[in-house]
Amino acid sequence: MAVVKPVNEEARIIALDKYAILDTDPEQCFDDLTLLASFVCKTPIALISLIDEDRQWFKSRIGLTASETSRDIAFCSTAILQSDVFVVPDALQDERFRNNPLVISDPHVRFYAGAPLVNEDGFALGTLCVVDRIPRELAPDQEMALKALSRLVLSQLEFRRNLILLKEALTDRTREEHERQKELLHVQETLMRVMGLRQTAKSARTT
């Protein structure tokens, strides 16, 4: 399956990298939102999927063992091109996905719904998606809930990134203060030597 990429793909990848989240360990705050998505939409599978250059990587997953898949077979690759929730009621009846390995083999995707994770700069980083093994529709209230949960996922991503930036700023400040303390100590030592030399010279003149 040929991958259609967003027109801002290069900038999108740069934006995603700034979150420093790919290949990180599971985090409860994300797992809780994935669990809620699965519960609200009544699906056995729910995922927080981030779309890298060549893959989709799952920050959080319910009902799936794989941690990533190739981007060229990812439903989420299509979902990030949308401005709203992307729904596939029956993948076997959709010519875009009927021969997809994720459909004709494990996990046998039939239903998919993904809400794109679009940050404040307009970059779609990935999706919060739900998957079922039987054809179905997403009820209006479930769609609203999925969108609301996707906004919470994005908020957690932003909070996590800001926390990293704060830690880096504090580390830089600590390093700068340490360097200033070293410089001050050097100045003090130099002054002490100068004062000592002057005191020695003065003593020599008075004897």
Side-chain angles (χ1 to χ4, degrees):
M1 176 179 169
V3 178
V4 178
K5 296 184 177 181
V7 294
N8 59 2
E9 176 66 3
E10 185 176 350
R12 189 191 72 81
I13 293 297
I14 292 173
L16 176 59
D17 287 343
K18 289 180 179 179
Y19 288 85
I21 194 169
L22 295 174
D23 300 309
T24 57
D25 292 332
E27 296 176 56
Q28 191 67 53
C29 58
F30 292 106
D31 290 343
D32 288 344
L33 295 172
T34 309
L35 181 63
L36 282 172
S38 173
F39 178 77
V40 170
C41 296
K42 295 179 170 53
T43 59
I45 299 172
L47 309 160
I48 294 175
S49 172
L50 299 171
I51 306 298
D52 200 356
E53 291 177 286
D54 303 310
R55 60 175 176 154
Q56 67 168 347
W57 176 79
F58 305 127
K59 174 59 182 174
S60 178
R61 60 190 189 273
I62 297 290
L64 194 68
T65 56
S67 61
E68 62 182 64
T69 75
S70 173
R71 181 173 177 176
D72 61 356
I73 62 172
F75 282 63
C76 296
S77 291
T78 302
I80 64 170
L81 302 174
Q82 319 303 317
S83 59
D84 206 346
V85 176
F86 176 62
V87 180
V88 180
D90 187 348
L92 283 178
Q93 302 302 318
D94 192 315
E95 61 182 13
R96 295 169 296 181
F97 303 108
R98 63 179 53 165
N99 296 316
N100 189 300
L102 300 175
V103 175
I104 61 179
S105 59
D106 192 62
H108 299 286
V109 175
R110 293 293 295 275
F111 166 80
Y112 170 92
L117 304 172
V118 182
N119 72 3
E120 60 184 10
D121 295 319
F123 298 117
L125 308 174
T127 71
L128 171 63
C129 65
V130 290
V131 174
D132 209 335
R133 297 184 177 90
I134 58 173
R136 49 170 295 184
E137 296 283 351
L138 198 64
D141 58 342
Q142 291 175 325
E143 182 172 335
M144 289 177 59
L146 188 63
K147 290 166 69 173
L149 288 171
S150 73
R151 290 192 292 270
L152 290 176
V153 170
L154 199 55
S155 294
Q156 286 295 335
L157 286 171
E158 295 293 348
F159 175 77
R160 188 180 182 281
R161 183 179 67 164
N162 290 336
L163 190 60
I164 291 173
L165 292 174
L166 178 60
K167 287 180 179 178
E168 290 176 349
L170 289 173
T171 299
D172 290 342
R173 182 174 178 179
T174 300
R175 187 182 299 113
E176 290 172 0
E177 289 179 350
H178 181 65
E179 290 299 323
R180 283 198 296 269
Q181 288 175 351
K182 286 174 61 178
E183 291 174 3
L184 180 60
L185 182 60
H186 178 68
V187 170
Q188 289 174 335
E189 290 174 347
T190 302
L191 286 173
M192 292 297 291
R193 283 199 303 272
V194 171
M195 294 300 293
L197 289 172
R198 288 181 178 176
Q199 186 63 38
T200 301
K202 184 178 179 181
S203 299
R205 289 196 299 268
T206 58
T207 56

